[in-house]
């Protein structure tokens, strides 16, 4: 299927969220799997709600996730004249008509129909009036088929049958001359050569409205694939209260784009029991045969686990580069950082088993790039006491003679101090840890000293000793 053309067409009325990114991902994977084209289209005809800030957020979110597009981003607001021309062509062919019913009249009739239990659709009273040039505000309505059925062979849901008798005569041009969503999307899909419309199943009810428009405009009807909804843990529609948020917010709280993409591909699609996929594997294995038709449940704990796995498996140099922006957010200049031995990438292997996000990684990295180290006063008060000062002083004086500076050479020195002062490792290691990192948690004490290097290790121990009050 080398002629595959798909699109992601968000409305810029808010930021790019999890559901939107998954829709974009499934389109992107389908295009890449079949050597087709992936088009980005911004559906910004809602003048009151569309914003340039939202468009930027969508574009930036897509780029961060690594979903590149072959064409676009197209903006519907640049094509308004085209939509009007196509709408008026339908009118000239008798497939659309002018409606002068006011919003107040329509609302009153809707309430009457609701009270009677009748279908909530336009009652068609302007359908046969034959208005050609109304002088009062008028909307242009599409003359929807009222008999028979519209049958859609959905690539995920299978055969879906819609009764045309319940279809509304859609407004395709508002009284202010602006085209509506269903008209614009049909014209764009047709003229952009979209072969497969892959979207969330909250759009299923739009499909029987759009298929007759494709046919009336004499365009080929694309194939449809409606993706299962993403629900929260309580099976209600996904929202912020379930832990879901905008895509760029995940970037800000330290998630890797590969982890988020990997998690989203498994929300509704599977390949056996495999959980972790490279991008190449996703492309090679993706098909609608393995997309479930039932709703998927968003699990923030599973996403966090996956993010931790990507940090653990990532190349240290790559993870170090990703961590730097989070350090800079805390005011640390990239060029002015005090580097641990081997650079920040040398710290990564010692920390990545302990963290779940890049924010946590940055926090754990701070003791190795700060000078002087930020001291936890409560930890210092508990562990850096006059009683431990003689042993710390003895250790630092002997460390000055250690060469080369490594675990193998440090261990005999430390063990000798423990034996002479009759201390257990736990009693001495924690004061050492606080003196060297300012914290009560860190990698192994030898690893800490190796990362700091000899000069910084001695300097921090001496600073800690200086801060211990006299007994």
């Amino acid at each position: 299927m080398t002629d595959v053309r798909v699109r992601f067409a968000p409305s810029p009325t808010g930021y790019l969220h999890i559901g939107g990114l998954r829709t974009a991902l499934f389109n992107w994977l389908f295009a890449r799997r079949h050597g087709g084209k992936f088009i980005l289209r911004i559906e910004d005809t809602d003048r009151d709600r569309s914003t340039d800030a939202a468009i930027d957020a969508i574009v930036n979110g897509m780029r961060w996730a690594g979903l590149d597009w072959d064409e676009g981003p197209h903006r519907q607001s640049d094509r308004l004249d085209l939509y009007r021309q196509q709408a008026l062509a339908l009118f000239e062919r008798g497939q659309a008509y002018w409606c002068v019913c006011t919003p107040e009249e329509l609302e009153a009739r809707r309430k009457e129909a609701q009270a009677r239990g009748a279908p909530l659709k336009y009652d068609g009273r302007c359908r046969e009036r034959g208005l050609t040039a109304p002088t009062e505000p008028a909307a242009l309505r599409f003359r929807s088929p009222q008999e028979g059925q519209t049958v859609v062979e959905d690539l995920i849901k299978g055969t879906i049958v819609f009764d045309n008798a319940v279809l509304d005569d859609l407004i395709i041009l508002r009284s202010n001359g602006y085209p509506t969503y269903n008209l614009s999307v049909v014209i764009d899909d047709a003229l952009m050569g979209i072969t497969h419309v892959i979207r969330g199943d909250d759009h299923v009810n739009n499909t029987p409205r759009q298929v007759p428009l494709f046919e009336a405009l004499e365009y080929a009807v694309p194939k449809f694939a409606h993706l299962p909804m993403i629900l929260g843990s309580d099976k209600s529609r996904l929202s912020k209260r379930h832990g879901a948020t905008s895509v760029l917010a995940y970037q800000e709280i330290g998630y890797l784009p590969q982890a988020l993409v990997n998690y989203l591909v498994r929300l509704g699609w599977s390949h056996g029991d495999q959980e972790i996929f490279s991008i190449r594997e996703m492309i090679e294995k993706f098909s609608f045969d393995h997309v479930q038709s039932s709703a998927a449940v968003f699990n923030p704990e599973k996403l966090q686990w996956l993010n931790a796995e990507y940090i653990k498996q990532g190349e240290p140099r790559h993870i170090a580069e990703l961590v730097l922006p989070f350090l800079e957010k805390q005011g640390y200049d990239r060029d002015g950082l005090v580097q641990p031995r081997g650079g920040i990438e040398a710290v990564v292997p010692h920390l990545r088993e302990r963290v779940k996000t890049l924010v946590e990684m940055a926090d754990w990295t701070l003791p190795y790039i700060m000078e002087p180290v930020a001291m936890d006063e409560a930890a210092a008060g508990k562990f850096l006491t006059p009683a431990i000062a003689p042993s710390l002083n003895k250790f630092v004086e002997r460390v000055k003679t250690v060469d080369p500076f490594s675990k193998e050479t440090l261990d005999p020195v430390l063990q000798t101090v423990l034996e002479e002062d009759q201390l257990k490792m736990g009693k001495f290691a924690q004061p050492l840890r606080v003196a060297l990192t300012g914290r009560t948690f860190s990698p192994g004490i030898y690893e800490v000293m190796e990362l700091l290097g000899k000069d910084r290790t001695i300097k921090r121990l001496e600073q800690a000793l200086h801060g211990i009050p006299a007994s």
Side-chain angles (χ1 to χ4, degrees), residues 372-404:
V373 68
M375 183 64 67
D376 181 328
E377 294 301 328
K382 181 177 180 179
F383 294 104
L384 299 179
T385 64
I388 203 66
S391 299
L392 280 176
N393 188 66
K394 181 186 295 186
F395 179 70
V396 72
E397 290 303 317
R398 294 182 183 182
V399 162
K400 293 177 181 177
T401 66
V402 170
D403 187 42

Side-chain angles (χ1 to χ4, degrees), residues 249-386:
Y250 282 101
Q251 179 188 22
E252 293 171 1
I253 59 178
Y255 281 76
L256 277 66
Q258 299 90 339
L260 183 59
V261 165
N262 192 150
Y263 179 73
L264 290 179
V265 81
R266 289 287 286 110
L267 273 183
W269 175 82
S270 62
H271 185 80
D273 295 327
Q274 186 172 345
E275 290 287 352
I276 298 178
F277 296 84
S278 67
I279 293 295
R280 176 177 293 181
E281 287 178 313
M282 292 182 203
I283 293 171
E284 290 175 349
K285 301 177 187 300
F286 184 81
S287 78
F288 288 123
D289 294 339
H290 298 287
V291 174
Q292 66 190 42
S293 58
S294 56
V297 176
F298 180 79
N299 184 336
E301 289 79 20
K302 180 70 173 290
L303 171 57
Q304 191 175 73
W305 169 82
L306 198 57
N307 196 61
E309 289 299 307
Y310 270 83
I311 291 174
K312 290 175 187 175
Q313 297 175 18
E315 287 291 330
R317 178 172 296 181
H318 175 62
I319 300 299
E321 281 297 316
L322 294 177
V323 167
L324 273 173
F326 293 93
L327 296 171
E328 291 169 348
K329 283 181 181 178
Q330 300 190 49
Y332 299 101
D333 178 12
R334 179 185 296 240
D335 298 323
L337 294 176
V338 179
Q339 294 289 333
R341 292 175 69 183
I344 292 177
E345 66 182 276
V347 180
V348 172
H350 301 287
L351 303 181
R352 58 187 176 189
E353 295 289 336
R354 308 165 187 268
V355 303
K356 295 181 176 64
T357 69
L358 294 173
V359 169
E360 291 180 5
M361 176 70 82
D363 182 62
W364 278 76
T365 304
L366 291 177
Y368 306 96
I369 64 172
M370 290 178 62
E371 211 60 66
V373 68
M375 183 64 67
D376 181 328
E377 294 301 328
K382 181 177 180 179
F383 294 104
L384 299 179
T385 64

